[in-house]
């Protein structure tokens, strides 16, 4: 478990903040569940980001996708991001949920959320979580096109 | 000493293996290990490496029973 260097927050991210799911998930049901577990009388803002799969990329139709990850390291990397957000902003809770395995267009790939007393911290933490996840967390997408497949080489 | 080396995504497919169990000399860096296991592949500038599930530099020295991983730039989210 990560140790916090800041004295402002007393808590660190744990398994309740990070989920890697092989299969479909409903981001809004998860958001509701997580909100229900918090003392919402202290929270004035929840900011969330939901990312889903397009049926096109780089000018080509994409039929399906496979999402690979590094079991162990991926969870560790996401936990580190959650802890950075908790250290940096005044937030009550964060959530990172990411899909792995086979995925089809319009399926949800990722959900990140931050709960805070005020919107500025919730917005900033949420943006940080998704931007950093895209550059740091070990996930890789392989797209199935009509007659071929390819690894996505760079995130947009 | 023994180390485990893992490969992911396009790199795993190019190399044709997901994992190697290696017997290596002491004081080897991650770059040394890459040269030992994959001499036919050139070290790609964009390729990333991890030691015991943390990002590290290529010059990091590996200890017995460590887990080393090589993979391409990440594309999650």
């Amino acid at each position: 478990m990560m140790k916090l260097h800041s004295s402002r927050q007393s808590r660190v991210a744990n398994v309740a903040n990070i989920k890697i799911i092989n299969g479909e998930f409903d981001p809004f049901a998860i958001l509701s569940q997580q909100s229900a577990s918090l003392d919402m009388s202290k929270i004035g803002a929840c900011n969330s980001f939901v990312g889903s799969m397009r049926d096109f990329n780089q000018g080509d139709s994409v039929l399906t996708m496979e999402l690979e990850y590094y079991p162990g390291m991926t969870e560790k990397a996401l936990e580190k991001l959650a802890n950075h957000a908790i250290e940096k902003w005044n937030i009550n809770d964060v959530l990172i949920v990411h899909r792995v395995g086979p995925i089809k267009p319009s399926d949800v790939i990722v959900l990140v959320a931050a709960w805070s007393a005020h919107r500025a911290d919730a917005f900033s933490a949420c943006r940080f979580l998704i931007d950093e996840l895209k550059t740091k967390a070990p996930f890789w997408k392989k797209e199935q096109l009509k007659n071929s497949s390819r690894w996505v080489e760079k995130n947009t | 000493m023994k180390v485990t080396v893992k490969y992911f995504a396009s790199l795993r497919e190019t190399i044709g293996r997901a994992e190697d169990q290696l017997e290596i000399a002491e004081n080897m860096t991650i770059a040394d290990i890459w040269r030992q296991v994959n001499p036919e592949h050139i070290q790609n500038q964009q390729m990333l490496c991890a030691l015991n599930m943390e990002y590290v530099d290529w010059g990091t020295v590996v200890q017995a029973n460590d887990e080393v991983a090589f993979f391409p730039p990440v594309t999650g989210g």
Side-chain angles (χ1 to χ4, degrees), chain B residues 45-67:
Chain B
Q45 288 268 320
Q46 289 200 316
M47 202 167 70
L48 302 169
C49 57
L51 180 64
N52 299 326
M53 302 185 177
E54 299 272 0
Y55 285 106
V56 287
D57 294 329
W58 287 84
T60 307
V61 174
V62 176
Q63 310 291 327
N65 303 314
D66 276 351
E67 179 172 303

PDB file of all heavy atoms in Angstrom, chain B residues 45-67:
ATOM      1  N   GLN B  45      13.409   2.697 -29.141  1.00  0.00           N
ATOM      2  CA  GLN B  45      13.385   3.881 -28.262  1.00  0.00           C
ATOM      3  C   GLN B  45      12.072   4.011 -27.485  1.00  0.00           C
ATOM      4  O   GLN B  45      12.048   4.474 -26.371  1.00  0.00           O
ATOM      5  CB  GLN B  45      13.540   5.141 -29.113  1.00  0.00           C
ATOM      6  CG  GLN B  45      14.938   5.331 -29.669  1.00  0.00           C
ATOM      7  CD  GLN B  45      15.804   6.166 -28.757  1.00  0.00           C
ATOM      8  OE1 GLN B  45      15.322   7.127 -28.196  1.00  0.00           O
ATOM      9  NE2 GLN B  45      17.048   5.775 -28.595  1.00  0.00           N
ATOM     10  N   GLN B  46      10.982   3.571 -28.137  1.00  0.00           N
ATOM     11  CA  GLN B  46       9.671   3.765 -27.522  1.00  0.00           C
ATOM     12  C   GLN B  46       9.311   2.668 -26.529  1.00  0.00           C
ATOM     13  O   GLN B  46       8.382   2.820 -25.758  1.00  0.00           O
ATOM     14  CB  GLN B  46       8.614   3.776 -28.623  1.00  0.00           C
ATOM     15  CG  GLN B  46       8.658   5.014 -29.480  1.00  0.00           C
ATOM     16  CD  GLN B  46       7.345   5.206 -30.189  1.00  0.00           C
ATOM     17  OE1 GLN B  46       6.781   4.239 -30.717  1.00  0.00           O
ATOM     18  NE2 GLN B  46       6.833   6.411 -30.200  1.00  0.00           N
ATOM     19  N   MET B  47      10.057   1.561 -26.577  1.00  0.00           N
ATOM     20  CA  MET B  47       9.708   0.425 -25.739  1.00  0.00           C
ATOM     21  C   MET B  47       9.888   0.769 -24.255  1.00  0.00           C
ATOM     22  O   MET B  47      10.809   1.473 -23.883  1.00  0.00           O
ATOM     23  CB  MET B  47      10.607  -0.748 -26.116  1.00  0.00           C
ATOM     24  CG  MET B  47      10.042  -2.063 -25.727  1.00  0.00           C
ATOM     25  SD  MET B  47      10.956  -3.365 -26.533  1.00  0.00           S
ATOM     26  CE  MET B  47      12.501  -3.279 -25.676  1.00  0.00           C
ATOM     27  N   LEU B  48       9.002   0.241 -23.428  1.00  0.00           N
ATOM     28  CA  LEU B  48       9.049   0.536 -21.995  1.00  0.00           C
ATOM     29  C   LEU B  48       9.479  -0.703 -21.222  1.00  0.00           C
ATOM     30  O   LEU B  48       9.302  -1.825 -21.697  1.00  0.00           O
ATOM     31  CB  LEU B  48       7.664   0.980 -21.510  1.00  0.00           C
ATOM     32  CG  LEU B  48       7.086   2.199 -22.226  1.00  0.00           C
ATOM     33  CD1 LEU B  48       5.631   2.395 -21.868  1.00  0.00           C
ATOM     34  CD2 LEU B  48       7.890   3.448 -21.886  1.00  0.00           C
ATOM     35  N   CYS B  49      10.041  -0.478 -20.043  1.00  0.00           N
ATOM     36  CA  CYS B  49      10.413  -1.625 -19.216  1.00  0.00           C
ATOM     37  C   CYS B  49       9.987  -1.393 -17.776  1.00  0.00           C
ATOM     38  O   CYS B  49       9.856  -0.252 -17.322  1.00  0.00           O
ATOM     39  CB  CYS B  49      11.915  -1.891 -19.301  1.00  0.00           C
ATOM     40  SG  CYS B  49      12.921  -0.499 -18.833  1.00  0.00           S
ATOM     41  N   ALA B  50       9.734  -2.496 -17.089  1.00  0.00           N
ATOM     42  CA  ALA B  50       9.327  -2.429 -15.681  1.00  0.00           C
ATOM     43  C   ALA B  50      10.120  -3.469 -14.900  1.00  0.00           C
ATOM     44  O   ALA B  50      10.526  -4.503 -15.446  1.00  0.00           O
ATOM     45  CB  ALA B  50       7.838  -2.710 -15.557  1.00  0.00           C
ATOM     46  N   LEU B  51      10.357  -3.163 -13.634  1.00  0.00           N
ATOM     47  CA  LEU B  51      11.029  -4.093 -12.731  1.00  0.00           C
ATOM     48  C   LEU B  51      10.117  -4.278 -11.524  1.00  0.00           C
ATOM     49  O   LEU B  51       9.750  -3.297 -10.862  1.00  0.00           O
ATOM     50  CB  LEU B  51      12.387  -3.516 -12.304  1.00  0.00           C
ATOM     51  CG  LEU B  51      13.216  -4.378 -11.347  1.00  0.00           C
ATOM     52  CD1 LEU B  51      13.610  -5.691 -12.013  1.00  0.00           C
ATOM     53  CD2 LEU B  51      14.466  -3.632 -10.900  1.00  0.00           C
ATOM     54  N   ASN B  52       9.734  -5.519 -11.277  1.00  0.00           N
ATOM     55  CA  ASN B  52       8.802  -5.829 -10.190  1.00  0.00           C
ATOM     56  C   ASN B  52       7.566  -4.926 -10.233  1.00  0.00           C
ATOM     57  O   ASN B  52       7.133  -4.367  -9.228  1.00  0.00           O
ATOM     58  CB  ASN B  52       9.504  -5.751  -8.836  1.00  0.00           C
ATOM     59  CG  ASN B  52      10.639  -6.758  -8.759  1.00  0.00           C
ATOM     60  OD1 ASN B  52      10.551  -7.843  -9.323  1.00  0.00           O
ATOM     61  ND2 ASN B  52      11.726  -6.378  -8.102  1.00  0.00           N
ATOM     62  N   MET B  53       7.048  -4.745 -11.458  1.00  0.00           N
ATOM     63  CA  MET B  53       5.795  -4.024 -11.701  1.00  0.00           C
ATOM     64  C   MET B  53       5.867  -2.522 -11.445  1.00  0.00           C
ATOM     65  O   MET B  53       4.846  -1.885 -11.175  1.00  0.00           O
ATOM     66  CB  MET B  53       4.641  -4.661 -10.910  1.00  0.00           C
ATOM     67  CG  MET B  53       4.448  -6.121 -11.251  1.00  0.00           C
ATOM     68  SD  MET B  53       3.016  -6.816 -10.423  1.00  0.00           S
ATOM     69  CE  MET B  53       3.008  -8.485 -11.100  1.00  0.00           C
ATOM     70  N   GLU B  54       7.071  -1.951 -11.528  1.00  0.00           N
ATOM     71  CA  GLU B  54       7.237  -0.489 -11.451  1.00  0.00           C
ATOM     72  C   GLU B  54       8.064  -0.069 -12.662  1.00  0.00           C
ATOM     73  O   GLU B  54       9.023  -0.763 -13.025  1.00  0.00           O
ATOM     74  CB  GLU B  54       8.036  -0.086 -10.195  1.00  0.00           C
ATOM     75  CG  GLU B  54       7.419  -0.471  -8.878  1.00  0.00           C
ATOM     76  CD  GLU B  54       6.457   0.569  -8.333  1.00  0.00           C
ATOM     77  OE1 GLU B  54       6.270   1.612  -8.996  1.00  0.00           O
ATOM     78  OE2 GLU B  54       5.896   0.317  -7.258  1.00  0.00           O
ATOM     79  N   TYR B  55       7.707   1.100 -13.253  1.00  0.00           N
ATOM     80  CA  TYR B  55       8.515   1.619 -14.357  1.00  0.00           C
ATOM     81  C   TYR B  55       9.913   1.937 -13.846  1.00  0.00           C
ATOM     82  O   TYR B  55      10.077   2.506 -12.761  1.00  0.00           O
ATOM     83  CB  TYR B  55       7.907   2.913 -14.904  1.00  0.00           C
ATOM     84  CG  TYR B  55       6.668   2.694 -15.741  1.00  0.00           C
ATOM     85  CD1 TYR B  55       5.408   3.004 -15.252  1.00  0.00           C
ATOM     86  CD2 TYR B  55       6.775   2.185 -17.035  1.00  0.00           C
ATOM     87  CE1 TYR B  55       4.267   2.805 -16.020  1.00  0.00           C
ATOM     88  CE2 TYR B  55       5.637   1.982 -17.808  1.00  0.00           C
ATOM     89  CZ  TYR B  55       4.390   2.294 -17.299  1.00  0.00           C
ATOM     90  OH  TYR B  55       3.271   2.084 -18.063  1.00  0.00           O
ATOM     91  N   VAL B  56      10.937   1.554 -14.632  1.00  0.00           N
ATOM     92  CA  VAL B  56      12.327   1.866 -14.264  1.00  0.00           C
ATOM     93  C   VAL B  56      13.100   2.243 -15.528  1.00  0.00           C
ATOM     94  O   VAL B  56      12.626   2.045 -16.646  1.00  0.00           O
ATOM     95  CB  VAL B  56      13.041   0.656 -13.601  1.00  0.00           C
ATOM     96  CG1 VAL B  56      12.535   0.406 -12.198  1.00  0.00           C
ATOM     97  CG2 VAL B  56      12.925  -0.588 -14.461  1.00  0.00           C
ATOM     98  N   ASP B  57      14.318   2.762 -15.328  1.00  0.00           N
ATOM     99  CA  ASP B  57      15.216   3.061 -16.448  1.00  0.00           C
ATOM    100  C   ASP B  57      15.887   1.779 -16.919  1.00  0.00           C
ATOM    101  O   ASP B  57      16.050   0.837 -16.139  1.00  0.00           O
ATOM    102  CB  ASP B  57      16.308   4.045 -15.999  1.00  0.00           C
ATOM    103  CG  ASP B  57      15.734   5.403 -15.642  1.00  0.00           C
ATOM    104  OD1 ASP B  57      14.709   5.775 -16.251  1.00  0.00           O
ATOM    105  OD2 ASP B  57      16.293   6.068 -14.756  1.00  0.00           O
ATOM    106  N   TRP B  58      16.355   1.813 -18.161  1.00  0.00           N
ATOM    107  CA  TRP B  58      17.018   0.652 -18.750  1.00  0.00           C
ATOM    108  C   TRP B  58      18.315   0.300 -18.015  1.00  0.00           C
ATOM    109  O   TRP B  58      18.799  -0.824 -18.096  1.00  0.00           O
ATOM    110  CB  TRP B  58      17.302   0.898 -20.231  1.00  0.00           C
ATOM    111  CG  TRP B  58      16.055   0.845 -21.052  1.00  0.00           C
ATOM    112  CD1 TRP B  58      15.162   1.864 -21.252  1.00  0.00           C
ATOM    113  CD2 TRP B  58      15.537  -0.292 -21.739  1.00  0.00           C
ATOM    114  NE1 TRP B  58      14.112   1.421 -22.028  1.00  0.00           N
ATOM    115  CE2 TRP B  58      14.319   0.114 -22.356  1.00  0.00           C
ATOM    116  CE3 TRP B  58      15.977  -1.609 -21.910  1.00  0.00           C
ATOM    117  CZ2 TRP B  58      13.547  -0.760 -23.121  1.00  0.00           C
ATOM    118  CZ3 TRP B  58      15.204  -2.472 -22.685  1.00  0.00           C
ATOM    119  CH2 TRP B  58      14.003  -2.048 -23.269  1.00  0.00           C
ATOM    120  N   GLY B  59      18.887   1.267 -17.325  1.00  0.00           N
ATOM    121  CA  GLY B  59      20.160   1.036 -16.636  1.00  0.00           C
ATOM    122  C   GLY B  59      20.009   0.433 -15.240  1.00  0.00           C
ATOM    123  O   GLY B  59      21.002   0.169 -14.561  1.00  0.00           O
ATOM    124  N   THR B  60      18.784   0.173 -14.802  1.00  0.00           N
ATOM    125  CA  THR B  60      18.553  -0.368 -13.463  1.00  0.00           C
ATOM    126  C   THR B  60      19.118  -1.788 -13.349  1.00  0.00           C
ATOM    127  O   THR B  60      18.913  -2.619 -14.240  1.00  0.00           O
ATOM    128  CB  THR B  60      17.040  -0.398 -13.164  1.00  0.00           C
ATOM    129  OG1 THR B  60      16.519   0.903 -13.395  1.00  0.00           O
ATOM    130  CG2 THR B  60      16.761  -0.817 -11.727  1.00  0.00           C
ATOM    131  N   VAL B  61      19.827  -2.051 -12.250  1.00  0.00           N
ATOM    132  CA  VAL B  61      20.432  -3.371 -12.037  1.00  0.00           C
ATOM    133  C   VAL B  61      19.379  -4.324 -11.456  1.00  0.00           C
ATOM    134  O   VAL B  61      18.595  -3.949 -10.579  1.00  0.00           O
ATOM    135  CB  VAL B  61      21.652  -3.255 -11.095  1.00  0.00           C
ATOM    136  CG1 VAL B  61      22.193  -4.642 -10.737  1.00  0.00           C
ATOM    137  CG2 VAL B  61      22.739  -2.418 -11.764  1.00  0.00           C
ATOM    138  N   VAL B  62      19.387  -5.553 -11.965  1.00  0.00           N
ATOM    139  CA  VAL B  62      18.385  -6.553 -11.589  1.00  0.00           C
ATOM    140  C   VAL B  62      18.933  -7.469 -10.491  1.00  0.00           C
ATOM    141  O   VAL B  62      20.119  -7.810 -10.496  1.00  0.00           O
ATOM    142  CB  VAL B  62      17.999  -7.357 -12.850  1.00  0.00           C
ATOM    143  CG1 VAL B  62      17.043  -8.476 -12.519  1.00  0.00           C
ATOM    144  CG2 VAL B  62      17.386  -6.422 -13.888  1.00  0.00           C
ATOM    145  N   GLN B  63      18.071  -7.834  -9.548  1.00  0.00           N
ATOM    146  CA  GLN B  63      18.451  -8.733  -8.442  1.00  0.00           C
ATOM    147  C   GLN B  63      17.829 -10.126  -8.662  1.00  0.00           C
ATOM    148  O   GLN B  63      16.920 -10.274  -9.477  1.00  0.00           O
ATOM    149  CB  GLN B  63      17.932  -8.172  -7.106  1.00  0.00           C
ATOM    150  CG  GLN B  63      18.260  -6.716  -6.831  1.00  0.00           C
ATOM    151  CD  GLN B  63      19.730  -6.474  -6.587  1.00  0.00           C
ATOM    152  OE1 GLN B  63      20.422  -7.325  -6.039  1.00  0.00           O
ATOM    153  NE2 GLN B  63      20.218  -5.317  -7.038  1.00  0.00           N
ATOM    154  N   ALA B  64      18.299 -11.092  -7.888  1.00  0.00           N
ATOM    155  CA  ALA B  64      17.771 -12.460  -7.993  1.00  0.00           C
ATOM    156  C   ALA B  64      16.261 -12.474  -7.753  1.00  0.00           C
ATOM    157  O   ALA B  64      15.758 -11.752  -6.885  1.00  0.00           O
ATOM    158  CB  ALA B  64      18.466 -13.363  -6.981  1.00  0.00           C
ATOM    159  N   ASN B  65      15.568 -13.291  -8.524  1.00  0.00           N
ATOM    160  CA  ASN B  65      14.110 -13.489  -8.423  1.00  0.00           C
ATOM    161  C   ASN B  65      13.261 -12.273  -8.818  1.00  0.00           C
ATOM    162  O   ASN B  65      12.062 -12.246  -8.559  1.00  0.00           O
ATOM    163  CB  ASN B  65      13.710 -13.947  -7.016  1.00  0.00           C
ATOM    164  CG  ASN B  65      14.440 -15.212  -6.621  1.00  0.00           C
ATOM    165  OD1 ASN B  65      14.518 -16.150  -7.415  1.00  0.00           O
ATOM    166  ND2 ASN B  65      15.016 -15.239  -5.433  1.00  0.00           N
ATOM    167  N   ASP B  66      13.901 -11.278  -9.425  1.00  0.00           N
ATOM    168  CA  ASP B  66      13.136 -10.118  -9.900  1.00  0.00           C
ATOM    169  C   ASP B  66      12.254 -10.501 -11.097  1.00  0.00           C
ATOM    170  O   ASP B  66      12.534 -11.474 -11.793  1.00  0.00           O
ATOM    171  CB  ASP B  66      14.085  -8.994 -10.349  1.00  0.00           C
ATOM    172  CG  ASP B  66      14.546  -8.136  -9.177  1.00  0.00           C
ATOM    173  OD1 ASP B  66      14.013  -8.293  -8.061  1.00  0.00           O
ATOM    174  OD2 ASP B  66      15.451  -7.296  -9.387  1.00  0.00           O
ATOM    175  N   GLU B  67      11.218  -9.679 -11.309  1.00  0.00           N
ATOM    176  CA  GLU B  67      10.380  -9.829 -12.506  1.00  0.00           C
ATOM    177  C   GLU B  67      10.593  -8.603 -13.397  1.00  0.00           C
ATOM    178  O   GLU B  67      10.321  -7.480 -12.988  1.00  0.00           O
ATOM    179  CB  GLU B  67       8.900  -9.936 -12.112  1.00  0.00           C
ATOM    180  CG  GLU B  67       7.985 -10.076 -13.335  1.00  0.00           C
ATOM    181  CD  GLU B  67       6.543 -10.371 -12.956  1.00  0.00           C
ATOM    182  OE1 GLU B  67       6.300 -11.378 -12.257  1.00  0.00           O
ATOM    183  OE2 GLU B  67       5.661  -9.585 -13.346  1.00  0.00           O
TER     184      GLU B  67
END
